[in-house]
Amino acid sequence: MNTIFYLKSTKYKVLSIKTKTANPFFRLFSILFSLFSLMALAQEKEKDTTKVNQLDEVLVSAVRVTTKTPVSFSNLDKKEIKYRNLGQDIPILMNFLPSVVTTSDAGNGVGYTGIRVRGSDATRVNVTINGIPYNDSESHGTYWVNMPDFASSLESIQLQRGVGTSTNGAGAFGASLNMLTDTFSEKASGEIANSFGSFNTMKNTVKFSTGLMNDRFEIAGRLSNLKSDGYIDRASSNLKSYFLQGTYIENSTLIKALVFGGTEKTYQSWNGVDATTLATDRTFNSAGLFTDEFGQTRFYDNETDNYQQDHYQLHWNQKVSRNWSTNLAFHYTKGKGYFENYKEDATFADYGLLPVGLETTTDLIRQKWLDNDFYGTTFSANYKSKKLDVILGGGWNKYEGEHFGKVIWARYASQSELDDRYYEFYGNKTDFNSYAKFNYKLSSKWSLFGDLQYRNVGYKANGVLANKINEEYNFINPKAGLTFDLNKTNSFYFSYSKANKEPNRTDFENGVPKPESLDDIELGWRMKTAKVSINTNFYLMYYKNQLIKTGQIDDVGNEIRANVDKSYRTGIEIDAQIKIGKQFVFSPNITISNNKIKDYKVDTGSGLIDYGNTNIAFSPNLIAGGILSFEPIKNLQLSLLNKYVGSQFAGNFDTEVTKLKSYNVVDFNVNYEIKPNSIFKSIVISVLANNVLNVNYVSNAYLYGDSYVSYYPQAGANFLAGLSLKF
């Protein structure tokens, strides 16, 4: 898990490059796999596939919802994911879901990518993998670049908007996103998938499954390699990842042991471009720019971000009786890495260097490191009958992070040793939660939902301001709602949820922040027939002390946030799926919203300026998307994809200089599957043409001061093409 500053932020993050070959966790999993194999050989009972599938869903039952829950949500299954899974990251694959806006630092969806839901950025989106928290403990961010091609190992994704039912990990102030990794395969299989495209983008993936051996045990895995030059100058990515899963199955037992992770090396493209450069040279990247001793302008060739992250999960799901099932999970994540910068005219004293001569400044190369560990457990028990569905559970997680910086080269000599650390900070965090949630069928038409979570957070750290952080928070987060089934076609729901959330590390670095609270009201209507389904949802999210993005970043690239007393987000979301005949499916969605800070006041140092009611930064009032799919012949699918994002502001002052223009982007996707009679089970040819209308648009920006804006342009027309062979 990575943390801001000496960790990582969407702008700066710390990365790793080394792996330990004698890792004790690999030995542990090897032993577990061996034990499972012996158990499998000893078993001769016939499996119950239905029960096994139900047990597999227990992995995420504590954090997922259904249409019987009064929550606004969208699902992406394996089939929908694979159509466009040609190298772009998970946020880009989710781009066409309601209320979603995505961005990419490199401009083409590879490398550093980000997602916002209802205007809330990734630090406000609770992310879990098989129910295990993934958000970085200190920054609260999610760094998808650490899990390249993870989409190739996903069974499904569920995005809940609003507070949702996030149970484990960081509090959800915009959405909850939970991912379920591949389920088991009954038959042995293999897959080789390769894709290539614009900007020298290339993805190579190899997957395998042993199938169920003796109807009890399966081993499955994946290796991926992904490279791209990026749309922005030098915004290259060199990404590698792996996934290994062992599954043991018995009629009432499902045990999964997983090891997965990735390494990434990306050339930094975090600086963006100013308005003048945007008009003349959209792909310009200032990262690594310096003047050598001969007065020549050059770019440092290793201005890179380097990180490795390895995850270990063990899940034990048990069907205790007809009504009861349990889940127990243990997890451990190891992350280590750095980002490297060339710094001109750095002051010796700032880096703990003692000059030999009279010089007070020097050019140097620095590395900012993060070395962290995240481990813990989650657990739940589920009782389910015809009328009542109850889940009791909780989790305990601990984060231990070390932040340090090194100078690896300096132009002028010093009395200090290179590689000495010029700062050493730490961050330790514990997170305990317990919860009880239920769905009770009051009658044939009415259902009652309730959810109560208690969360205790302890955080100790120090940082750049030399102020030690020692905070403890106790949060109680209730949720309640009703669902009314008018008939088999129409249902209505209403819910109220309260959420509380602690500040992140950067908030403490830039002031004395307060914890946030959110009251979320959701009112919805669901209609479903054989050919048409429509989901309509009204929401009001009212915040107290919301930590809003000011649009500015600090001197190391972390996004600065500030508490505002009162603010709100309110809007209506509509999404549908319409089957037109036997060959067409149209899936449109639209979000119309209003996102305001009430009585926004800013302390300028010489007094308060009252800006009145202003728009919250990065919160467009109109977001729309749609996918029109056409199947002219069997196994051939043609899809036209459209995304519209209304104008938004990079700051909270509603000034024209901070306004980002609206944009509308059209993509085109082709998938054709061939099923030969021999050798291969399936051959899939895929083509994805992005931004076919070649629109010049900007999806993100940052402020430097009150008026200087740095923009993040996205690629014009580009393509990806892939070939997948399954056997």
Side-chain angles (χ1 to χ4, degrees), residues 597-663:
I597 303 170
K598 300 183 70 175
D599 300 321
Y600 185 42
K601 297 179 177 66
V602 177
D603 189 350
T604 63
S606 57
L608 287 177
I609 296 179
D610 189 345
Y611 289 92
N613 294 344
T614 66
N615 288 287
I616 302 176
F618 304 108
S619 302
N621 291 339
L622 178 59
I623 303 170
I627 302 176
L628 177 62
S629 297
F630 173 52
E631 190 171 345
I633 59 173
K634 187 177 180 180
N635 298 327
L636 172 63
Q637 186 179 67
L638 311 176
S639 298
L640 193 66
L641 307 97
N642 188 83
K643 186 72 176 188
Y644 175 86
V645 176
S647 61
Q648 55 188 307
F649 293 93
N652 301 293
F653 306 109
D654 293 358
T655 58
E656 282 301 314
V657 72
T658 64
K659 189 174 185 179
L660 302 183
K661 296 179 180 180
S662 63
Y663 58 86

Side-chain angles (χ1 to χ4, degrees), residues 305-599:
D305 191 30
N306 309 265
Y307 200 79
Q308 178 164 331
Q309 195 175 75
D310 300 291
H311 300 256
Y312 310 88
Q313 295 184 1
L314 178 62
H315 297 268
W316 175 19
N317 298 338
Q318 186 69 42
K319 184 79 172 177
V320 179
S321 67
R322 180 178 179 181
N323 301 109
W324 283 96
S325 60
T326 61
N327 170 251
L328 176 63
F330 297 96
H331 66 90
Y332 171 66
T333 300
K334 176 64 180 179
K336 188 174 182 180
Y338 65 91
F339 66 83
E340 185 168 307
N341 297 114
Y342 189 104
K343 299 293 291 183
E344 291 188 282
D345 299 324
T347 303
F348 274 94
D350 290 345
Y351 291 86
L353 303 175
L354 298 174
V356 172
L358 299 177
E359 294 87 358
T360 59
T361 63
T362 181
D363 288 2
L364 56 81
I365 298 172
R366 70 178 184 184
Q367 292 180 345
K368 290 193 169 186
W369 280 81
L370 169 67
D371 186 351
N372 58 11
D373 302 271
F374 178 65
Y375 53 90
T377 181
T378 63
F379 47 88
S380 65
N382 183 202
Y383 173 82
K384 186 178 291 188
S385 65
K386 289 183 178 180
K387 288 190 173 184
L388 182 63
D389 187 351
V390 178
I391 300 178
L392 305 173
W396 179 89
N397 304 292
K398 186 166 185 178
Y399 169 91
E400 298 173 336
E402 183 182 11
H403 315 256
F404 59 90
K406 301 191 298 185
V407 175
I408 64 171
W409 173 87
R411 184 175 301 282
Y412 299 118
S414 75
Q415 300 176 43
S416 307
E417 292 291 330
L418 296 179
D419 255 6
D420 282 352
R421 297 183 179 185
Y422 65 92
Y423 70 81
E424 290 184 278
F425 301 137
Y426 70 88
N428 297 327
K429 188 174 185 179
T430 57
D431 190 334
F432 167 78
N433 72 278
S434 59
Y435 60 89
K437 60 179 66 178
F438 71 88
N439 241 315
Y440 180 64
K441 196 169 182 62
L442 296 169
S443 67
S444 60
K445 293 184 178 296
W446 289 94
S447 297
L448 175 66
F449 168 77
D451 184 347
L452 182 64
Q453 182 205 46
Y454 165 72
R455 184 167 175 247
N456 173 266
V457 179
Y459 183 39
K460 296 181 179 181
N462 62 354
V464 293
L465 299 181
N467 59 317
K468 289 190 176 181
I469 304 165
N470 188 358
E471 299 288 343
E472 183 175 358
Y473 303 94
N474 290 283
F475 298 135
I476 295 178
N477 302 314
K479 307 177 181 73
L482 282 169
T483 300
F484 174 65
D485 295 322
L486 178 64
N487 48 44
K488 292 182 179 180
T489 301
N490 296 276
S491 65
F492 301 86
Y493 63 83
F494 169 82
S495 68
Y496 164 78
S497 305
K498 188 173 186 65
N500 294 275
K501 189 175 176 66
E502 73 279 9
N504 66 22
R505 183 184 182 100
T506 302
D507 297 328
F508 284 107
E509 298 282 10
N510 290 286
V512 185
K514 302 174 185 177
E516 312 167 85
S517 67
L518 165 63
D519 294 282
D520 181 17
I521 294 174
E522 308 272 336
L523 177 63
W525 164 52
R526 296 184 177 113
M527 188 270 283
K528 187 172 183 178
T529 66
K531 292 190 175 183
V532 178
S533 64
I534 300 175
N535 301 303
T536 302
N537 184 75
F538 166 81
Y539 64 89
L540 171 61
M541 302 167 68
Y542 190 85
Y543 298 85
K544 177 68 175 176
N545 296 322
Q546 181 180 185
L547 281 159
I548 60 162
K549 296 168 80 172
T550 64
Q552 297 180 331
I553 58 176
D554 62 20
D555 60 350
V556 291
N558 300 317
E559 296 174 292
I560 296 175
R561 305 191 303 179
N563 287 114
V564 294
D565 184 34
K566 297 177 181 179
S567 56
Y568 65 87
R569 302 179 187 275
T570 185
I572 185 168
E573 301 164 322
I574 305 173
D575 67 278
Q577 186 177 83
I578 305 167
K579 296 178 181 178
I580 306 170
K582 296 182 179 180
Q583 296 176 309
F584 287 92
V585 177
F586 182 41
S587 304
N589 63 75
I590 186 170
T591 300
I592 302 171
S593 65
N594 194 20
N595 311 276
K596 296 290 186 180
I597 303 170
K598 300 183 70 175
D599 300 321

